[in-house]
Amino acid sequence: QVQLVESGGGLVQAGGSLSLACVASGPTSKIYAMGWFRQAPGKERQFVASSRRTDGVSDYADSVKGRFTISRDDAKNTVYLQMIKLQPEDTAVYYCAAKDIPVRSGSLYVWDWYDYWGQGTQVTVSS
């Protein structure tokens, strides 16, 4: 069972920056892709970014393009999310997720296609 542990959340003023990290442990060789999602109070879990291990392709939600960057250090089994120009609407619990090598079709944009989840880290952006 892959385990994911996030770190790096906190409180920042609008316009500021934060970086999140997610360390994977366990049978990590099975991981096909990793992603970040977020969930604000009363809202559904929302795709933020993903990165495929197989070809390095990354993808982003339109709302974060140009402000957030996902990166991986496969030697450390770690995925990062660098966030700049943060806005109050970015306030949410941010979750790291990992997808095993898929046995059926699906989408990295959809939270329930992922196999493993971290516990989440709070990001709060004040205006």
Side-chain angles (χ1 to χ4, degrees):
Q1 185 85 350
V2 172
Q3 294 183 327
L4 304 173
V5 178
E6 302 104 331
S7 61
L11 173 65
V12 65
Q13 288 187 332
S17 304
L18 276 177
S19 289
L20 307 182
C22 172
V23 180
S25 60
T28 56
S29 61
K30 302 190 305 176
I31 294 176
Y32 161 75
M34 297 188 75
W36 289 95
F37 285 73
R38 65 187 182 186
Q39 189 165 20
K43 295 189 176 181
E44 293 187 353
R45 194 165 296 193
Q46 177 187 42
F47 170 78
V48 175
S50 63
S51 178
R52 293 200 298 245
R53 274 189 164 185
T54 50
D55 54 13
V57 172
S58 298
D59 205 356
Y60 299 89
D62 287 343
S63 60
V64 307
K65 279 181 183 176
R67 300 189 299 123
F68 290 12
T69 302
I70 188 171
S71 60
R72 296 190 334 269
D73 184 337
D74 292 336
K76 295 182 179 179
N77 290 316
T78 301
V79 64
Y80 304 94
L81 187 68
Q82 292 180 290
M83 306 181 289
I84 65 170
K85 301 179 183 178
L86 283 161
Q87 298 302 315
E89 52 265 35
D90 295 316
T91 295
V93 177
Y94 282 70
Y95 295 92
C96 174
K99 173 63 187 167
D100 279 342
I101 296 171
V103 295
R104 59 179 177 87
S105 61
S107 170
L108 290 173
Y109 299 112
V110 179
W111 69 268
D112 64 359
W113 198 51
Y114 287 77
D115 298 296
Y116 310 103
W117 289 89
Q119 81 286 356
T121 185
Q122 177 70 46
V123 171
T124 302
V125 184
S126 63
S127 57

